[in-house]
Amino acid sequence: TAGYDAVGQQNSQTMSAFAGLPQQTVTSGLDRLGRATSLTVAGDGTTKKLVTGVGFDNLGRLKTRNYGDGLVKTLGYDLKWGSVSNVTTAGGGVTVQNDSYTFDDAGRVTAIADSAGAATVTQQFRHDGFNRLGGSWATTGTGTTDQAAAQPSTGTSSDLTYSTGYTYSDTGQINSVIN
């Protein structure tokens, strides 16, 4: 069963009990623009606040999301492309996510570095001249971020955690996957 607010936007959904799970109602708080600002699940006599609040930047993009467990996710945006450039999730003095995105001149993601753990893990991506993914690999520590120098199929660095390369046919179909 769906519930609606005064302007006709769906703001709740009740799901019947099924397969041993109790009936549950998911309720979204909506702002005046119809954007979800909170999320609550109620059922079996309990209510759990999953999202307690959100914030938006002056362009209407998601800036912060506060979770019911006290974590806060913060997003930053690349000035040139408008794409997400960093995501941090932290709470209680602990950072559980700290991702930074790197873009090439065409706006493609070339690296995602996660520095929330003991060592920075960087996933890297190489693209071919047809804008297809040519390879991806991950390194810890000081692995290379130079697309031209790093070939996933021949990576020998001791900090290489995975690598995958792709070749394509003349019609753009994947010919091979190199692990």
Side-chain angles (χ1 to χ4, degrees):
T1 306
Y4 298 88
D5 66 12
V7 294
Q9 298 176 105
Q10 183 176 351
N11 63 359
S12 68
Q13 180 72 42
T14 300
M15 291 145 299
S16 301
F18 178 75
L21 296 172
Q23 174 179 303
Q24 292 187 329
T25 300
V26 178
T27 304
S28 297
L30 304 173
D31 69 9
R32 61 184 175 82
L33 298 177
R35 300 176 297 196
T37 58
S38 64
L39 183 65
T40 304
V41 177
D44 203 24
T46 63
T47 299
K48 175 96 174 154
K49 292 182 178 184
L50 302 178
V51 176
T52 59
V54 297
F56 300 95
D57 68 11
N58 59 354
L59 296 177
R61 301 174 297 194
L62 181 65
K63 186 70 175 167
T64 59
R65 179 179 294 142
N66 302 327
Y67 294 99
D69 61 2
L71 292 175
V72 176
K73 181 179 297 252
T74 304
L75 292 91
Y77 295 90
D78 177 77
L79 295 176
K80 180 177 180 181
W81 299 104
S83 302
V84 172
S85 61
N86 58 355
V87 179
T88 303
T89 305
V94 176
T95 299
V96 296
Q97 178 184 21
N98 189 14
D99 296 347
S100 297
Y101 297 78
T102 303
F103 303 91
D104 64 12
D105 290 337
R108 300 173 297 202
V109 174
T110 58
I112 304 170
D114 183 356
S115 60
T120 297
V121 176
T122 303
Q123 292 183 329
Q124 298 170 76
F125 310 96
R126 179 176 45 83
H127 302 87
D128 68 12
F130 294 102
N131 203 28
R132 300 174 297 202
L133 184 62
S136 63
W137 61 100
T139 57
T140 57
T142 59
T144 182
T145 58
D146 180 359
Q147 288 191 58
Q151 297 299 317
S153 61
T154 59
T156 58
S157 174
S158 63
D159 62 358
L160 189 66
T161 59
Y162 85 85
S163 67
T164 303
Y166 303 94
T167 62
Y168 296 90
S169 69
D170 291 340
T171 59
Q173 303 297 314
I174 294 176
N175 269 346
S176 63
V177 178
I178 306 162
N179 290 313

